[in-house]
Amino acid sequence: SIKISNEEKEEFFTKLSVLRLHSEMFLKMLNDMRRRLKELPQTSPATQQYKNVMRDLTRLLYMVNKKPENVRIPPDGLQLLTWSEQILNRYLVAQGKPPINNTTTSSSNVGVSPQRLSVIGDQVETQF
């Protein structure tokens, strides 16, 4: 198992508590993704991108809907929460709403893998 510092643990739960306030919006995003995936031809190159985004949104929703003391921090927990905040802000802006205050940004953004950010993909991202 991966050892997580107290600082990282505190940052994780701070980010999670901020994102928990937006759980309904994440559920709306997931439902939008499911609807769009059904409309796509199975041969579409965007199909896998949608599935990846849906998987990560599901993981986030699982964590925000659990009591904090019952949440186990996954190895990519901070990256997942940073990605979730970014996709939430894109979704809000695309709907003409202000993004959430970026109070959770920290040095952990450096650890966000390009793969997680690219998983959104231009095709998926622009369809919000």
Side-chain angles (χ1 to χ4, degrees):
S1 90
I2 296 175
K3 202 72 171 142
I4 297 172
S5 72
N6 285 339
E7 185 180 297
E8 289 172 317
K9 195 179 285 191
E10 184 179 324
E11 182 179 353
F12 176 86
F13 284 106
T14 300
K15 284 180 182 243
L16 189 62
S17 68
V18 170
L19 296 175
R20 185 173 277 121
L21 301 172
H22 303 278
S23 61
E24 287 183 25
M25 192 60 70
F26 285 113
L27 183 59
K28 186 176 185 307
M29 275 192 265
L30 180 60
N31 289 332
D32 284 351
M33 290 280 176
R34 285 183 177 139
R35 182 181 42 77
R36 289 198 186 112
L37 182 62
K38 285 180 185 175
E39 295 168 358
L40 280 178
Q42 287 302 306
T43 56
S44 170
T47 299
Q48 192 57 49
Q49 289 178 316
Y50 274 95
K51 287 180 180 178
N52 289 340
V53 171
M54 288 168 49
R55 179 200 62 221
D56 286 344
L57 284 172
T58 301
R59 291 175 62 213
L60 173 73
L61 282 164
Y62 179 76
M63 287 189 291
V64 299
N65 287 304
K66 287 185 94 170
K67 291 180 180 176
E69 61 270 17
N70 295 333
V71 173
R72 288 186 39 195
I73 301 175
D76 65 340
L78 285 173
Q79 292 89 349
L80 176 64
L81 298 185
T82 299
W83 171 84
S84 299
E85 182 178 74
Q86 291 169 347
I87 195 170
L88 173 63
N89 281 332
R90 288 181 185 149
Y91 190 77
L92 290 170
V93 167
Q95 294 192 337
K97 297 177 182 170
I100 64 170
N101 288 338
N102 202 345
T103 57
T104 63
T105 300
S106 74
S107 59
S108 70
N109 285 349
V110 174
V112 174
S113 71
Q115 182 181 2
R116 179 171 302 284
L117 294 177
S118 68
V119 107
I120 300 166
D122 290 335
Q123 295 171 333
V124 177
E125 180 184 332
T126 57
Q127 292 181 8
F128 282 143

